[in-house]
Structures are given as C-alpha cells and as structure tokens.
Amino acid sequence: MHRIPSVSSSTESAPRIIDDRVMLPVRAVFEAMGMTVDWDEATQTAIGIKGHRRIFLTLGSATAWVNDLPYTLDVPPQTVDLPGGGTGKGPRSAA
C-alpha cells in the first residue's frame, strides 16, 4: 500500500464517492507521488511518470498498466461532472 502525502481538497479535485467507491483525482494523486502527469487525448489515457515508474490509466478500462504489467481495477477510471457545469478532464480512479 502506498500512502499519498497529500491530495488537494479543492472542489475540483476533492475525492468523491460514486457507487460505493471512493474516486480520487488521478492528477492530484500522481502529483502527490512526485510524478509528472500527461494526458493522451487520442487514447483517453492519463500517464504518470517518475524515474523508471510509469502508470497508465485509460478512461473506461478496468486495466491499469504499471511498468508494462497489467493490474485489474475494481472500477474503470471515469470523468465526473464538476460543480458549476464543467467536466473533470481525465480519469478518476478508485482508491
């Protein structure tokens, strides 16, 4: 288990409970882990990179890839509606 030092509690990036799962903002989690974050619009994939570690989370896919190894997620990453009518860019993933 990896402890995340801090995740912003701002309205836009606050964790949410969706269908009995805690969904965390991927960008905030990756950044709290000291990773650089990229978004591949063509594949709808969030990418976190730190040193040799690479994590890929694709919207709607229950498979996360960590250093070329697949990991099954309980809930696929998804976008969420934000207060004020916007939509969260990139996935949120189950904790």
Side-chain angles (χ1 to χ4, degrees):
M1 181 161 141
H2 184 82
R3 296 197 184 274
I4 300 168
S6 73
V7 174
S8 171
S9 61
S10 72
T11 302
E12 186 170 332
S13 63
R16 294 194 169 99
I17 297 175
I18 300 173
D19 295 330
D20 296 324
R21 295 289 192 264
V22 176
M23 304 299 278
L24 300 172
V26 170
R27 174 176 292 280
V29 172
F30 283 171
E31 287 176 349
M33 293 170 61
M35 301 182 106
T36 58
V37 183
D38 198 7
W39 173 251
D40 185 328
E41 185 69 32
T43 63
Q44 299 285 286
T45 301
I47 304 161
I49 300 170
K50 181 177 182 182
H52 296 291
R53 171 141 314 168
R54 286 166 173 39
I55 301 174
F56 297 83
L57 296 170
T58 301
L59 286 178
S61 174
T63 303
W65 291 87
V66 180
N67 293 343
D68 298 323
L69 296 174
Y71 290 87
T72 301
L73 304 172
D74 282 350
V75 178
Q78 56 189 277
T79 58
V80 296
D81 293 328
L82 298 174
T87 301
K89 179 71 170 172
R92 296 173 83 82
S93 180

